[in-house]
Amino acid sequence: MVFSPAGALLLPLSLPVVAAALLLLLSDAPPQNDGGPSQPGTGGRHLLLLALLALCTSAALFCALPGAGAPPVRALGQALVFDGLSRVVAPSLCAVAALAALLGFGSVQLRHQAPAEWLALLLLGTSGALCVALAGDVLALFLGVELMSMASYVLAGYRRSSRRAQEAALKYYLYGAFASAFMVFGMALLWGEAGRVLGEPTFSLVGIGFAAGTGTLQPLGWVGAGLLLCGLLFKVGAVPFHMWTPDVYQGAPTPSTAFFAAIVKLASFVALTRVLLATVAVTAVRETSANALAVVAVASILLGNVLALRQVSIKRLLAYSSVAHAGYATLGLVAVLAGRLQDGLTALTYYLVTYGAIVIGAFAVVAALEGSQADERRQELTLERMAGLGRSHPLVAGAAIASLFALAGIPPTAGFVGKLHLLLACVRGGYLGTAGLAAFGSAFGAFAYLRVLAALMFRSRPLETGGTRSPWLAGALLSSTAAALAMGLFPEPWLAWAGQALSAMAP
Amino acid sequence: MDWCTSPTALVVLPMLAAVGVWTFPDKEGSGARGIALVAALCELMLAIGRACAGSFATGEAESLQVAAWIPSLGVHWALGLDGIAMALVLLVAVLTPVAVLASAGDVQNKSRDYVACLLLLEGALIGGFCARDLFLFYVFWEAMLVPSYFLVGMWGGEHSTRASVRFFLYTMSASMLLLVGIVAAASVGHIGEAPSFLLSDCQQHLGQVDLGLGEGLLFLAFALAFLVKVPLFPLHGWLPETYSEAPASSLALISGVMVKLGAIGFLRFALLLFPRAATFCLPTIMALAVFGCLYAAWLAAGQSRLRRVLAYSSMSHMCLCILALCAMTPLSVTGSVVQMVSHGINAAALFLLVGMIEKRCQSDYLSELGGLAHEAPMLACALGLSAFAAIGLPGLNGFVGEFLLLAGTYQSDGLGVALTEGTVAQGGIVLLLTAGALVVLRVAWGLWSLDAPPWGSAFGRALRLGGGLLVGFGVASLVALPVGPLPAGYLMQLLAPKASSLDPLATPTKLSVLVAIASVVMAAVYMVRLLERTLFGPPGAYRPRAHDLDGRERLVLMPLLFAMVALGVWPAPLLRLCEPSATAMVQYFREGAGWPSFHAPHAPEGTKAP
């Protein structure tokens, strides 16, 4: 190998950025916008292939890095770290991003937009997410979050003609800017406190963790850690930081929403885990933080699922569902803080990876059923408007059944194994009541998803929207559905794979 | 060819067949139905082969198959069959081909997907009865929910969407409780080590630790989840709508078998995993069961739709089964299982008949039926026989289970009663009492019901019907009397107090069974009313003239009617199948709960003292 391990870590991380630049260079001609319906998959197919190639190469390079037993690889000092957790998460991020790219290329909402720029933004956002997931110090974490968020803001408002999309972009940006400010302030406080305790300033999570472990951190340091966690909880959309999700998820183009739901959430949860492990997990406030996170989890699950019950728009429903799923993932953090490190981390990692695949499937279903009417209000997919579409789109209906059952946590899908593992970790950590409330909330959630299925399958009305047929969309649908089923029917290899998250974990 | 009849094969075959049927190209034609029928018949043969191959004499699970599925979570693919599970698996295996054949009558569109759902449901039900691992059981429990949701929602009647959503909501909330219960049960016993969902491991671990209040909560979580499915009294909100809207041929499986999985789950996973907590909660459940069976019978007597009468009748019978399970004597548990099998057959036959009547009359309102006996005598005979079997007339299968479970529940103070084939015949006195009550009540009903025709004709018809039943009862009891010991002496023995070793719950149990007997009498009332309104009287004004059963329908009903008579006359094989595992379960429960163990002092030769 020509590269040093550190160099080998930087290569797959920067590959998406390089590919994004190439994409922008290649897309010289403006997209044809003659008003007529353009055929999906005719223009710019090479752009998509380039993006997919970059993401797949990136995933393969991550997989080729030293194996499970090896010590963590670090690059740029402490800034980037490739440990057990990254080994699982980084390739998954690339794979999920590839699915999202397929979805974006097939979606009718982006048909008259420039595909190269959307793909370039997706790649930039993905490399930001990778940076977040691999961050070994708070500075790299912040840079990653900003790169990811900036790309997200543009992705949210990508349909320039749509007022809903503009609203979504503005809202996301304003809320996100606040969250970033919180994070930066928290990091500064942590940096100061850790520097005071250690005698030299440090940004690295290892250093901060060491300082926190001494038990001499002053309250200001805890405020800093709290602010940092709040900023990250905003990114994952957990209660009480969930206010932005429904409007943004509804207004943004469907593929962009899939990106927020799958990739941003996955990366932010990894960062949350790292920060928690570095700060509160080693100190006396561990139990208090676990209780606080349990409250956040239960509130997210109950509120998300109950509010999802009342939604008519599918994307709003999925937004509230994503709030609830942030709550489930938080259960894993609770278990980690409650002392079930191995259980909790395995459950959390498995859940996040499977959720990424499942939610892409769900949004692919939405994209496949959406119409392309000019009138924006008629474009939105509602329960009424999707009535009976399952009968005319059997393939989409099958994928919808699989992904909605997976979201509801019904066996034999991956969603069930993930949820069960999280509950198991929680119960074994002593949080039986939390697990009970979480399961109680899932019953509401199941009902919400069932309403969608009932509308799709049981009702019969004359079709209003014809839906979209595209090979790319079918690819995204099939591969995410197959992943959800395969990881649910044969979970053992995947669980073992996710279980290496703890091994060689840094710090 | 041992693997052929292994539980895994029994579970996998219908599921594979369902997938196979799904890929069949013709969506609407009858080809898929034919394939499904062949698959279901193969499954029936495998099940019969399994039943013949095993001995089922010890009460232990036979042909146990355990393989690690998800080792890191302690999940196993563990399937095994004891006698009780075998009896119910046979019931599913018989009812599925019947339902597939019957679906030709009431499901026209997308029949391919419909039969695939039926096969999927069959596989999940068999898996649920065989599962020996809590996780695996939960998987089958949910897998059962999915096809039944689609069966109700996609092929149901006018309000089927609402019905299916309500059905799903009720069972899903209960399932979530079950999920938490399972997770907790698998992890509390052994905090330090890896969890294990294997039933035997859970039993062992839970027996060792004392969880105090936690055990009570766990028991409640399990019990609630199962009792929603049965359904017990306040949990029955999903029942009337589901039974009114679902296609009749799917109800053969839903009402015939699915609700039984709830009862069996209650026995195997709630009572046996938490015997101490169960002792504490059982009086409440018993009271609800008694109230439920009376309440449901009362509601059934006042319904205006055929389907609703049968829905509440089904609930009444199942509540009685739960009461018997709560008494935890070998006889009551055996009786309860026998009654579940019998009721499965009877309910399936009744709902299939409702489907046939609806097809002819385009309605199931009692007021629009009537006079079917003249137009379709064979259909009337089948309906009459099924209704009589459901009431529990001697000589038909309903009587065996009902009598055993009532007698078994009553003897819960430790008085052993031998289980012999003759026991069935010993119910002479009870049967005469029932017959008398039936006639009296029938006449009273005829006189009092507001919309009955004038005095003379109502009285006359009531007398005719009652007289006919009386003669039937007389003949049946005359046949029965010489077979067993003298019924009067038996009854005296049954009623004699034995205070030596009282169960903690003996008194409430005895009281409750005395009250619950009333529901048996009420069953006679509502069933006779149902027959009266559908078969006799003037034909409904707004319905087309009904034609009699055609060849396919005769083929559908024949096995069920045959089973009713066969199990009523000769229940011994079924009893022998169920009794050992019932005894073993009762023994295990009584040891765990600290109840006096059950000895059979009067056990005659040939029966096994537990």
Side-chain angles (χ1 to χ4, degrees):
Chain A
M1 194 96 185
V2 197
F3 298 110
S4 65
L9 178 57
L10 284 177
L11 178 65
L13 197 62
S14 48
L15 205 56
V17 184
V18 176
L22 265 181
L23 275 176
L24 292 177
L25 284 178
L26 284 176
S27 71
D28 46 359
Q32 289 182 343
N33 195 356
D34 48 3
S38 64
Q39 288 303 308
T42 46
R45 196 181 299 168
H46 58 289
L47 302 175
L48 176 70
L49 290 181
L50 176 62
L52 289 183
L53 185 71
L55 287 169
C56 293
T57 318
S58 211
L61 285 176
F62 277 126
C63 288
L65 278 165
V73 179
R74 289 171 194 281
L76 306 180
Q78 299 275 358
L80 294 174
V81 56
F82 192 78
D83 54 9
L85 189 56
S86 322
R87 197 181 308 286
V88 179
V89 170
S92 325
L93 272 175
C94 296
V96 173
L99 284 179
L102 275 179
L103 175 55
F105 212 70
S107 167
V108 70
Q109 291 201 333
L110 297 177
R111 187 155 299 167
H112 296 304
Q113 318 286 345
E117 289 164 26
W118 191 88
L119 285 174
L121 283 168
L122 178 79
L123 288 174
L124 280 178
T126 306
S127 62
L130 285 171
C131 190
V132 171
L134 266 59
D137 71 13
V138 286
L139 215 51
L141 175 63
F142 185 69
L143 287 177
V145 165
E146 282 305 287
L147 182 54
M148 183 172 76
S149 305
M150 287 302 163
S152 306
Y153 304 147
V154 187
L155 283 175
Y158 200 73
R159 277 191 305 161
R160 269 154 295 186
S161 57
S162 156
R163 299 186 57 182
R164 280 248 171 90
Q166 290 170 16
E167 181 197 340
L170 189 66
K171 263 194 182 147
Y172 200 10
Y173 173 71
L174 284 180
Y175 279 109
F178 265 105
S180 296
F182 271 58
M183 277 174 74
V184 166
F185 188 43
M187 284 168 187
L189 291 178
L190 261 185
W191 173 74
E193 269 302 302
R196 186 186 61 76
V197 171
L198 297 178
E200 56 172 341
T202 175
F203 279 114
S204 83
L205 285 172
V206 180
I208 292 174
F210 187 69
T214 58
T216 53
L217 228 54
Q218 281 182 0
L220 217 50
W222 296 122
V223 171
L227 287 175
L228 182 52
L229 289 177
C230 284
L232 286 171
L233 282 175
F234 167 86
K235 287 288 165 208
V236 301
V239 171
F241 309 102
H242 66 288
M243 298 302 182
W244 57 277
T245 47
D247 289 336
V248 172
Y249 276 45
Q250 187 185 17
T254 309
S256 307
T257 315
F259 175 81
F260 309 149
I263 292 170
V264 173
K265 191 168 284 188
L266 176 48
S268 308
F269 258 110
V270 174
L272 255 180
T273 315
R274 285 194 199 283
V275 172
L276 274 180
L277 284 178
T279 54
V280 294
V282 287
T283 56
V285 290
R286 188 170 64 95
E287 197 144 325
T288 322
S289 337
N291 289 338
L293 278 178
V295 171
V296 168
V298 168
S300 306
I301 292 168
L302 287 179
L303 199 75
N305 280 330
V306 169
L307 289 182
L309 278 181
R310 305 286 308 161
Q311 302 308 317
V312 196
S313 153
I314 305 301
K315 277 160 83 178
R316 268 188 106 80
L317 190 151
L318 285 175
Y320 282 111
S321 132
S322 91
V323 172
H325 283 278
Y328 293 121
T330 312
L331 287 181
L333 296 178
V334 173
V336 167
L337 288 187
R340 310 294 314 182
L341 197 57
Q342 175 73 51
D343 283 359
L345 212 52
T346 311
L348 177 64
T349 323
Y350 177 83
Y351 189 79
L352 287 174
V353 172
T354 51
Y355 178 70
I358 293 165
V359 84
I360 294 273
F363 279 107
V365 169
V366 175
L369 295 179
E370 268 169 346
S372 54
Q373 279 88 352
D375 182 3
E376 196 189 333
R377 272 167 305 175
R378 292 169 58 80
Q379 222 174 52
E380 166 133 56
L381 193 65
T382 60
L383 282 181
E384 276 300 307
R385 217 158 280 159
M386 74 195 291
L389 279 179
R391 298 187 184 226
S392 52
H393 298 65
L395 188 71
V396 181
I401 292 175
S403 53
L404 289 175
F405 275 171
L407 285 176
I410 294 174
T413 56
F416 168 64
V417 180
K419 191 177 285 177
L420 181 106
H421 203 164
L422 281 173
L423 291 180
L424 191 64
C426 228
V427 167
R428 300 183 91 198
Y431 283 80
L432 183 60
T434 309
L437 283 173
F440 178 66
S442 321
F444 289 104
F447 185 42
Y449 305 121
L450 254 284
R451 276 177 70 223
V452 182
L453 264 192
L456 197 62
M457 309 293 294
F458 297 165
R459 288 199 226 149
S460 50
R461 280 176 71 251
L463 306 183
E464 202 174 332
T465 56
T468 313
R469 290 179 198 276
S470 138
W472 312 112
L473 213 49
L477 261 181
L478 280 182
S479 33
S480 54
T481 310
L485 284 179
M487 291 195 280
L489 278 173
F490 306 103
E492 185 56 27
W494 303 97
L495 281 174
W497 182 63
Q500 61 173 331
L502 183 65
S503 66
M505 174 93 188
Chain B
M1 298 296 278
D2 201 29
W3 57 270
C4 235
T5 56
S6 67
T8 306
L10 285 178
V11 172
V12 170
L13 173 70
M15 294 198 165
L16 282 183
V19 175
V21 167
W22 225 306
T23 53
F24 193 71
D26 185 8
K27 199 184 270 185
E28 310 291 343
S30 57
R33 191 177 289 130
I35 296 174
L37 187 61
V38 170
L41 287 174
C42 289
E43 173 77 5
L44 176 60
M45 301 231 266
L46 289 194
I48 291 176
R50 179 70 256 157
C52 295
S55 69
F56 302 104
T58 57
E60 294 297 312
E62 291 188 4
S63 61
L64 198 61
Q65 293 175 310
V66 181
W69 181 17
I70 315 177
S72 57
L73 289 184
V75 175
H76 304 79
W77 178 269
L79 294 172
L81 275 166
D82 57 6
I84 289 180
M86 190 68 239
L88 288 154
V89 166
L90 278 175
L91 177 68
V92 197
V94 169
L95 288 185
T96 311
V98 170
V100 170
L101 193 59
S103 72
D106 59 359
V107 169
Q108 308 306 337
N109 66 324
K110 287 195 164 189
S111 55
R112 175 195 71 179
D113 300 352
Y114 184 83
V115 290
C117 276
L118 283 182
L119 287 175
L120 213 54
L121 183 57
E122 179 187 26
L125 283 169
I126 291 180
F129 285 125
C130 297
R132 293 276 155 174
D133 179 284
L134 292 177
F135 183 101
L136 188 63
F137 176 81
Y138 186 80
V139 169
F140 285 128
W141 179 258
E142 294 289 285
M144 168 184 84
L145 194 54
V146 175
S148 45
Y149 170 69
F150 284 113
L151 284 174
V152 177
M154 280 184 80
W155 289 277
E158 200 180 337
H159 306 292
S160 57
T161 305
R162 204 176 58 184
S164 64
V165 164
R166 184 179 275 216
F167 168 70
F168 194 89
L169 193 60
Y170 262 85
T171 30
M172 195 66 204
S173 355
S175 295
M176 286 302 159
L177 270 179
L178 182 63
L179 180 61
V180 178
I182 283 176
V183 165
S187 49
V188 285
H190 30 262
I191 291 291
E193 328 146 29
S196 170
F197 286 89
L198 208 60
L199 181 60
S200 50
D201 285 354
C202 287
Q203 278 179 343
Q204 192 188 349
H205 286 293
L206 287 170
Q208 284 164 358
V209 289
D210 187 13
L211 298 169
L213 184 63
E215 188 176 337
L217 289 176
L218 280 180
F219 172 75
L220 275 186
F222 274 82
L224 268 180
F226 292 125
L227 293 176
V228 164
K229 201 68 129 205
V230 168
L232 197 67
F233 159 60
L235 309 170
H236 62 279
W238 59 271
L239 174 110
E241 275 194 337
T242 306
Y243 282 19
S244 317
E245 298 301 329
S249 48
S250 74
L251 280 177
L253 281 188
I254 292 177
S255 158
V257 195
M258 200 175 79
V259 298
K260 276 73 182 178
L261 185 54
I264 293 293
F266 176 67
L267 171 66
R268 182 166 290 154
F269 296 107
L271 289 178
L272 291 195
L273 275 182
F274 312 100
R276 283 176 303 240
T279 310
F280 186 71
C281 301
L282 276 184
T284 316
I285 295 179
M286 253 184 221
L288 289 176
V290 171
F291 183 75
C293 70
L294 293 177
Y295 175 71
W298 178 258
L299 286 182
Q303 295 299 315
S304 56
R305 288 182 65 183
L306 203 47
R307 278 168 175 256
R308 298 243 170 173
V309 176
L310 297 181
Y312 285 114
S313 140
S314 172
M315 174 180 162
S316 172
H317 281 110
M318 286 313 292
C319 282
L320 211 54
C321 288
I322 292 298
L323 174 66
L325 289 183
C326 292
M328 266 296 165
T329 69
L331 197 55
S332 74
V333 173
T334 312
S336 183
V337 175
V338 170
Q339 171 68 355
M340 284 181 218
V341 174
S342 308
H343 177 253
I345 294 168
N346 302 341
L350 282 169
F351 275 115
L352 291 176
L353 279 162
V354 168
M356 294 170 192
I357 291 176
E358 277 174 347
K359 195 180 155 202
R360 288 167 170 74
C361 307
Q362 265 90 51
S363 164
D364 72 326
Y365 280 88
L366 289 174
S367 56
E368 292 178 28
L369 303 174
L372 280 175
H374 302 292
E375 297 167 23
M378 275 203 289
L379 190 151
C381 285
L383 188 63
L385 190 67
S386 314
F388 285 150
I391 296 171
L393 284 203
L396 295 175
N397 59 357
F399 174 73
V400 183
E402 217 151 71
F403 177 74
L404 285 182
L405 75 85
L406 288 176
T409 311
Y410 193 81
Q411 46 132 224
S412 84
D413 62 343
L415 169 72
V417 175
L419 185 67
T420 64
E421 285 98 89
T423 312
V424 179
Q426 294 169 346
I429 285 189
V430 177
L431 98 88
L432 287 177
L433 285 177
T434 320
L438 185 75
V439 176
V440 171
L441 280 167
R442 176 66 197 93
V443 174
W445 184 270
L447 292 183
W448 285 342
S449 53
L450 291 174
D451 54 346
W455 272 69
S457 70
F459 190 72
R461 268 188 290 130
L463 209 60
R464 272 210 306 283
L465 188 64
L469 289 181
L470 197 61
V471 171
F473 283 174
V475 172
S477 47
L478 278 182
V479 174
L481 278 181
V483 182
L486 195 66
Y490 175 75
L491 198 69
M492 294 312 291
Q493 192 188 37
L494 207 62
L495 296 174
K498 288 278 189 294
S500 55
S501 60
L502 262 180
D503 275 1
L505 303 178
T507 318
T509 315
K510 277 183 189 301
L511 280 178
S512 58
V513 77
L514 286 179
V515 179
I517 284 180
S519 81
V520 179
V521 180
M522 284 163 79
V525 175
Y526 62 71
M527 278 301 181
V528 168
R529 172 173 173 268
L530 182 148
L531 292 183
E532 174 86 21
R533 296 286 180 88
T534 46
L535 302 186
F536 308 124
Y542 302 107
R543 67 172 177 82
R545 193 178 156 74
H547 54 90
D548 210 350
L549 299 179
D550 59 21
R552 184 185 54 77
E553 289 167 333
R554 270 180 248 168
L555 201 59
V556 166
L557 291 173
M558 204 116 61
L560 300 180
L561 299 181
F562 173 75
M564 285 174 204
V565 178
L567 287 178
V569 178
W570 195 47
L574 183 57
L575 295 180
R576 264 198 232 112
L577 191 60
C578 299
E579 195 259 355
S581 48
T583 310
M585 282 187 184
V586 168
Q587 194 74 9
Y588 179 85
F589 176 84
R590 286 178 172 259
E591 271 170 25
W595 291 14
S597 65
F598 218 89
H599 297 296
H602 307 292
E605 198 182 350
T607 51
K608 291 161 290 294

